[in-house]
């Protein structure tokens, strides 16, 4: 069955996207991430894979060559890639991207700041790393594991490779990504050039509008932590026959994990399954492993459902009455691949009767003022509450010792990063309410900071907050065209 041509660009619904110009510009997803606060960008374990800088011409030419070959011959296996990875310009590009992304140190304690203290030192460090690759003495180090809070509660493990390993992983990513990009399905949106979450949102809206109203809201149980190494390597080897590249990936997958025991001690354990979240290469490997599922559902089913995926978040949208069977078949496919559904969170939804969430947005059918049914898309309640909690944490009695300028800069960084992503679809009314909430919180904070003077609403009116103090204001015009 041919592709159902459901891949839509958010600015051009119905227009199929070409992948040949993937290396020309920074993606919209990257621009969104670059708008986040510096503290978020430098947090422990932030991945490097999806955040990119413009690619130098020679490296881009290499990527285009690899992409075109992979696109023209779907059975071709690339056998001479290790030499490209150790090229000086590829390693320098990899270093610049890792450095721009920031992130914490690995088990060796070496930081990006130490390596980048001056250009001469950075050049020597890269030359030494290149020599290790050339004489094949490079060996990955253990991965430092930290636990970070989940938005839904609880914690999830994040693996942090050393800076040295992240640079080599990025170099391999730069070479492998265009090869597998030629194979990836157009309805896969996570960690790919020129693809972002908003396009996935638009693909869902389009599928619902054409009559596919039943939704299998899928939750994979610990996907990154349960990918079987052997089956993943077999999937990579379908396109790559270079033994050194396969050896590197195998070493990264099997690198031991170092955990802190909570009492200042550390313990090391084997990594027999999974690819660490936080590793540069992990998002690409995760996409490679699920790519057969994307094609099987979107192209191999006579019912013509649509599986829309962003990394390990996915939904299957189909016609009424078909969802239960797709859920059963999906469960069988995942078990054969060593994966599992989270049965408590995976659910079947009749979108005409109830809403569902995906990537922080809520989708529901609603009537417009003219009485026409449309797919109402807005930031979901959980994402709104998490933002409010963050602002309450920043703007409270215990932080009034900080300068107004410093506090508003931090508030604006967080609010702008959040708003750039969530001020989308039919979220105009919500953004208006959040503008009121944010102005009120800052007004209360300034009032307490300055000793509770009278006339707080006159002294710190909305106009004063947004003009004199330059408080960020959420845009409210995104609702246009979505009714």
């Amino acid at each position: 069955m041919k592709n159902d041509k459901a891949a839509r660009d958010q600015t051009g619904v119905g227009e199929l996207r070409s992948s040949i110009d993937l290396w020309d510009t920074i993606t919209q997803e990257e621009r969104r991430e670059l708008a986040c606060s510096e503290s978020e960008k430098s947090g422990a374990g932030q991945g490097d894979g999806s955040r990119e800088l413009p690619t130098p011409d020679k490296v881009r030419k290499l990527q285009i060559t690899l992409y075109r070959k992979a696109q023209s011959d779907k059975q071709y296996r690339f056998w001479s890639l290790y030499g490209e990875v150790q090229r000086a310009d590829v390693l320098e590009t990899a270093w610049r991207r890792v450095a721009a992304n920031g992130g914490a140190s690995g088990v060796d304690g070496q930081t990006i700041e130490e390596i980048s203290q001056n250009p001469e030192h950075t050049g020597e460090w890269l030359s030494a790393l290149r020599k290790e690759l050339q004489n094949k003495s490079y060996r990955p180090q253990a991965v430092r594991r930290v636990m970070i809070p989940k938005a839904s509660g609880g914690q999830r493990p994040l693996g942090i490779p050393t800076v040295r390993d992240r640079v080599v992983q990025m170099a391999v990513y730069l070479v492998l990504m265009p090869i597998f990009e030629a194979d990836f399905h157009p309805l896969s949106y996570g960690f790919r050039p020129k693809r972002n979450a908003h396009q996935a949102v638009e693909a869902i809206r389009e599928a619902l509008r054409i009559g596919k109203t039943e939704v299998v809201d899928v939750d994979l149980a610990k996907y990154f932590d349960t990918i079987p190494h052997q089956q993943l390597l077999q999937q990579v080897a379908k396109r790559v026959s270079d033994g050194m590249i396969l050896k590197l990936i195998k070493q990264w997958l099997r690198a031991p994990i170092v955990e802190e025991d909570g009492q200042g001690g550390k313990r090391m354990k084997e990594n027999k399954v999974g690819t660490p979240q936080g590793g540069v290469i992990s998002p690409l490997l995760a996409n490679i492993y699920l790519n057969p599922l994307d094609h099987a559902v979107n192209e191999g089913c006579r019912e013509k459902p649509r599986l829309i995926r962003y990394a390990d978040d996915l939904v299957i949208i189909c016609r009424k009455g078909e969802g239960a069977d797709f859920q059963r078949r999906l469960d069988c496919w995942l078990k054969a691949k060593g994966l599992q559904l989270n049965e408590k969170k995976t659910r079947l939804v009749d979108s005409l009767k109830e809403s569902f969430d995906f990537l922080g947005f809520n989708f529901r059918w609603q009537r417009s003022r003219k009485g026409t049914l449309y797919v109402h898309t807005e930031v979901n309640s959980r994402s709104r509450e998490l933002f409010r909690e963050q602002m309450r944490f920043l703007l409270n009695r215990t932080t009034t010792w900080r300068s107004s300028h410093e506090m508003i800069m931090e508030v604006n960084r967080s609010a702008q990063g959040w708003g750039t992503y969530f001020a989308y679809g039919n979220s105009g009314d919500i953004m208006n309410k959040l503008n009121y909430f944010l102005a009120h919180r800052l007004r209360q904070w300034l009032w307490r900071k300055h000793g509770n003077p009278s006339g707080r609403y006159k002294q710190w009116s909305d106009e004063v907050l947004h003009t004199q103090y330059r408080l960020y204001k959420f845009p409210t015009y995104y609702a246009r065209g979505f009714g």
Side-chain angles (χ1 to χ4, degrees), residues 320-360:
K320 189 174 178 62
E322 298 174 347
D325 184 53
F326 280 122
Q327 184 173 339
R328 178 189 61 79
R329 290 155 67 180
L330 174 65
D331 188 43
C332 292
W333 190 94
L334 292 172
K335 287 178 179 177
K337 297 295 184 179
L339 306 173
Q340 282 188 324
L341 280 177
N342 184 335
E343 295 183 1
K344 291 183 178 180
K345 294 184 177 180
T346 298
R347 65 191 188 112
L348 190 61
V349 178
D350 181 353
S351 68
L352 294 174
K353 296 180 179 179
E354 59 180 318
S355 66
F356 66 96
D357 292 340
F358 188 69
L359 298 180

Side-chain angles (χ1 to χ4, degrees), residues 134-193:
Q134 288 175 331
N135 60 32
K136 300 182 181 179
S137 63
Y138 165 80
R139 296 293 183 274
Q141 294 176 273
V143 175
R144 182 166 73 93
R145 173 172 285 178
V146 298
M147 304 302 292
I148 62 172
K150 296 171 62 176
S152 56
Q155 293 183 318
R156 67 181 176 94
L158 205 63
I160 308 174
T162 62
V163 177
R164 170 177 165 273
D165 290 338
R166 298 207 298 263
V167 170
V168 181
Q169 286 189 24
M170 178 61 80
V172 172
Y173 167 84
L174 290 171
V175 173
L176 291 187
M177 181 266 290
I179 296 171
F180 288 98
E181 186 63 31
D183 296 339
F184 288 155
H185 196 275
L187 292 182
S188 167
Y189 294 94
F191 304 107
R192 295 182 59 190

